[in-house]
Amino acid sequence: MKTLLVTCLIFVSSGASSVARAEVDADFLIRRYDDQKTQVVSPHFDISGTFNKDTMKVSASFVQDYVTSASADVVSYSSQGVIKEERNEVSTSFETTIPDGNMSVGYIQSDEHDYHSKIVSAGGTREFFQKNTVFSFGFANGNDRINSSSSSTFDERMRHQVYSLSLTQILSKTSLIQFVYDFRVENGFLASPYRRARFVDGGGNVTIRTENHPLTRNRNAFALKYNFFANSVSSTFATTYRLYQDSWGVFSHTLEERMTKEFGKKLQVSFAGRYYTQSKAKFYEDYYTDTGALFYTGNKTLATFDGYMVSVRPAYNLTEKMQIYGKAEYYKQNFKDVSDQGLQISTRADDKPLELTAFVAEVGLEAKF
């Protein structure tokens, strides 16, 4: 796949240089995530270029994730104290304009030693009423292969499709509103070969089982977005509300507010805050007491919890075609029905409510040629 990326980069460069006024955008950033149990360092490289009188665009990107984890999800029930992983992702896309809109196709491939994913996508937009109304649609089809480092014979598949629709309406010279709907269907192995569900008997003794999930999951997400530019304070405000529901019984709400303030022509600073809350999946339990349960999970993201995020992102224009930026993000999750099982996993003696805090930092450079 690295060969594919190099080929795309050569295509972008040669196509852009052969056409007058064509432009190439390159973006490199490094992102670090740390929640005290898991650390992820991710370098990103993106490049895109236009050609054929700016009516066509080709893009390519490469991402690596270096993961170091002592999370209870993956090491509590194994002999390993720390897990180290590396994931490589490469993607490419092509977009072309059509009368009153555009069409695009894309491909993403992600690989790590025990998980391999391939996604193909297509989409487009259609403009109406002098470009004041834009209708967008998209489709993606993915095939994942799941293996396990603890079993050489473990080999499962998961398939998923995503259907997306959106409608964007310009309300005035300084505001717009957007409606978004996404439907995702998943089939196959939807659990993890590493996570364990916990069972407790009448005497308080704890046993574990590899989790067992339903073979199908349908997800629905609705979002409403409103953007407004306040000229008096040179600031853009973006408000988003998202409602999510799936066939496993998870129901969630997300509210996010983002403000971007301009300080002259050189400096922009974005501030963001997000609140999230969800109910648990219908088969989720912290500890299962029914040993004959059909489905059971050790996935804390299927529990009841809420969380919030705050972030700041400064960006400084070094030149008209070069920008440096950074980002600092903090978030916290409070779980209502998940226990941090402590050191003695065979009993509940040192259990306590689980809280998760994380800090994300990134720095990047974007350049146009």
Side-chain angles (χ1 to χ4, degrees):
M1 291 309 299
K2 291 184 179 179
T3 303
L4 174 61
L5 179 63
V6 172
T7 302
C8 291
L9 299 184
I10 294 173
F11 180 57
V12 168
S13 300
S14 62
S17 62
S18 63
V19 181
R21 295 185 301 177
E23 188 172 71
V24 174
D25 292 351
D27 191 359
F28 176 76
L29 71 90
I30 296 179
R31 185 174 188 265
R32 188 178 189 275
Y33 167 94
D34 189 347
D35 66 10
Q36 300 179 340
K37 294 183 179 181
T38 300
Q39 294 80 41
V40 184
V41 177
S42 304
H44 296 234
F45 179 69
D46 300 278
I47 188 167
S48 63
T50 59
F51 58 100
N52 195 25
K53 298 182 180 179
D54 292 338
T55 62
M56 296 182 179
K57 179 180 179 180
V58 63
S59 305
S61 67
F62 180 66
V63 180
Q64 284 187 308
D65 289 334
Y66 299 97
V67 182
T68 303
S69 179
S71 169
D73 284 344
V74 294
V75 301
S76 289
Y77 309 108
S78 71
S79 60
Q80 296 175 293
V82 176
I83 297 255
K84 293 186 177 181
E85 298 281 357
E86 179 181 331
R87 184 183 71 93
N88 296 304
E89 178 183 294
V90 63
S91 64
T92 183
S93 64
F94 171 77
E95 180 180 320
T96 182
T97 59
I98 60 174
D100 298 320
N102 66 62
M103 298 290 293
S104 63
V105 293
Y107 176 79
I108 303 173
Q109 180 166 324
S110 175
D111 294 289
E112 48 193 297
H113 82 281
D114 56 359
Y115 204 104
H116 307 274
S117 176
K118 298 179 180 179
I119 301 172
V120 293
S121 62
T125 65
R126 184 73 165 87
E127 300 168 342
F128 301 92
F129 308 117
Q130 297 180 333
K131 300 184 179 182
N132 289 321
T133 304
V134 180
F135 173 75
S136 302
F137 60 92
F139 169 76
N141 182 73
N143 288 277
D144 298 354
R145 181 177 181 179
I146 304 102
N147 302 119
S148 173
S149 59
S150 59
S151 173
S152 59
T153 61
F154 188 91
D155 189 12
E156 295 287 350
R157 300 290 189 276
M158 193 269 280
R159 296 174 177 82
H160 50 94
Q161 295 83 38
V162 180
Y163 306 85
S164 302
L165 297 172
S166 72
L167 182 67
T168 304
Q169 177 63 51
I170 295 177
L171 302 177
S172 69
K173 293 181 179 180
T174 58
S175 65
L176 62 83
I177 191 169
Q178 184 180 56
F179 304 90
V180 181
Y181 171 67
D182 290 330
F183 175 70
R184 177 183 174 104
V185 57
E186 301 171 345
N187 294 284
F189 184 77
L190 305 183
S192 166
Y194 304 113
R195 285 193 302 258
R196 304 292 187 264
R198 295 174 290 189
F199 287 76
V200 61
D201 61 22
N205 299 311
V206 179
T207 57
I208 59 172
R209 299 183 192 176
T210 301
E211 64 182 9
N212 184 43
H213 288 179
L215 297 179
T216 300
R217 188 180 188 183
N218 297 331
R219 304 170 181 248
N220 296 277
F222 305 86
L224 175 63
K225 302 180 180 182
Y226 176 72
N227 290 5
F228 172 73
F229 178 75
N231 190 58
S232 59
V233 291
S234 300
S235 299
T236 300
F237 297 87
T239 304
T240 302
Y241 169 73
R242 181 177 182 267
L243 176 67
Y244 170 89
Q245 176 272 338
D246 67 31
S247 59
W248 289 4
V250 176
F251 195 84
S252 73
H253 304 269
T254 307
L255 182 62
E256 180 173 351
E257 182 65 36
R258 187 177 303 273
M259 183 193 77
T260 301
K261 169 69 174 176
E262 297 178 355
F263 296 91
K265 296 182 179 181
K266 291 286 188 178
L267 179 64
Q268 292 182 340
V269 182
S270 296
F271 305 91
R274 182 174 66 238
Y275 175 74
Y276 177 88
T277 182
Q278 78 166 44
S279 61
K280 68 177 184 178
K282 54 190 175 185
F283 60 87
Y284 173 84
E285 297 292 341
D286 189 15
Y287 286 92
Y288 293 83
T289 57
D290 180 8
T291 57
L294 181 60
F295 301 117
Y296 37 90
T297 183
N299 187 354
K300 62 180 178 290
T301 65
L302 296 178
T304 305
F305 70 94
D306 56 28
Y308 64 87
M309 179 278 297
V310 291
S311 71
V312 58
R313 184 186 185 276
Y316 184 79
N317 297 320
L318 298 173
T319 68
E320 291 184 356
K321 295 188 175 183
M322 186 172 294
Q323 181 186 86
I324 187 171
Y325 59 89
K327 184 178 181 181
E329 180 178 291
Y330 171 84
Y331 76 86
K332 183 175 182 178
Q333 293 175 322
N334 301 300
F335 293 86
K336 308 299 183 182
D337 44 19
V338 182
S339 298
D340 187 344
Q341 68 268 28
L343 300 176
Q344 302 298 324
I345 62 175
S346 60
T347 70
R348 305 179 66 178
D350 59 349
D351 278 7
K352 58 182 179 180
L354 178 64
E355 292 185 352
L356 178 64
T357 60
F359 183 77
V360 180
E362 66 180 46
V363 60
L365 177 67
E366 181 178 0
K368 301 179 186 294
F369 304 95

